[in-house]
Every structure is written in structure tokens, then in C-alpha cells.
Amino acid sequence: MVYLDALVKSSRQNGTVAKRHLYVALGINMQGQKELLGLWGQATEGAKAWMTRLTELKNRGVNDILIACVDGLKGFEEAISAAYPQTQVQQCIVHQVRHSLSFMP
């Protein structure tokens, strides 16, 4: 199982503070141990950028992902399927609850 998400953090660059996205790939192997597969920084989050990250993971030796737990980013599921066609994609429960609460008064 692999958790894929981007955290938004403020960072100082060249004297100015800007928001950056920290891409995180956290895996749980078949023995139940957590493995940090990658951390990448970028100005924005998008499915195209995730496709690049997934291709990099594949090139580094991640042969297969059984389940990918992701947020509801548009095009994310297609990016995962392009790199790992057999992967089951499910939306993270935290993201589901946050999205559902946005419709509550």
C-alpha cells in the first residue's frame, strides 16, 4: 500500500516567503513496515507532476503497488494507472470527510 499526497508548506527563498508543495510517497511493505519512498518539492500540485514522480519510483525499483491511497486530485487515478496498471486506487478517508463537510452548513 502506498499513500500519495502533497503537503503545502511556506518556505523562504531569496528573501521572500512562498508556499510550496511537498510531495510525499509513503509505502507499507508486505511485512507491515513503513518505507518513505520519496519526498519532492515543487511550486504546485498536479496529476502531471505526480506522473513524473511515479515514473521515477518505477525506475528506482518499485515494481508494483497493490493499493494507492490518494486525495481527490483530478487526473490522479489516471496517472497512477499509467505507471502501475494493476493498482487499486482508493480515496483517503480523511480527504473524503473533509470534502463531505464542505457541503455542510
Side-chain angles (χ1 to χ4, degrees):
M1 179 171 214
V2 177
Y3 295 93
L4 303 167
D5 201 4
L7 308 170
V8 181
K9 298 301 285 177
S10 296
S11 65
R12 185 177 306 275
Q13 292 181 344
N14 302 326
T16 61
V17 176
K19 292 190 183 252
R20 300 219 7 118
H21 289 75
L22 181 64
Y23 288 71
V24 180
L26 179 68
I28 299 176
N29 63 23
M30 297 302 279
Q31 291 75 33
Q33 298 169 326
K34 292 183 209 170
E35 296 183 23
L36 183 59
L37 302 175
L39 287 173
W40 305 271
Q42 192 166 324
T44 60
E45 181 183 17
K48 189 174 183 180
W50 270 115
M51 181 63 189
T52 303
R53 308 299 177 230
L54 291 166
T55 303
E56 181 183 331
L57 288 175
K58 192 169 192 101
N59 292 338
R60 287 181 19 214
V62 178
N63 296 325
D64 193 19
I65 297 174
L66 183 61
I67 300 170
C69 187
V70 300
D71 59 6
L73 182 67
K74 186 176 181 179
F76 203 173
E77 189 170 342
E78 291 81 7
I80 294 168
S81 295
Y84 297 98
Q86 300 297 318
T87 300
Q88 295 291 320
V89 178
Q90 74 176 37
Q91 189 173 11
C92 171
I93 188 69
V94 173
H95 287 93
Q96 286 180 358
V97 170
R98 283 187 190 160
H99 179 72
S100 298
L101 289 176
S102 67
F103 295 104
M104 301 291 291

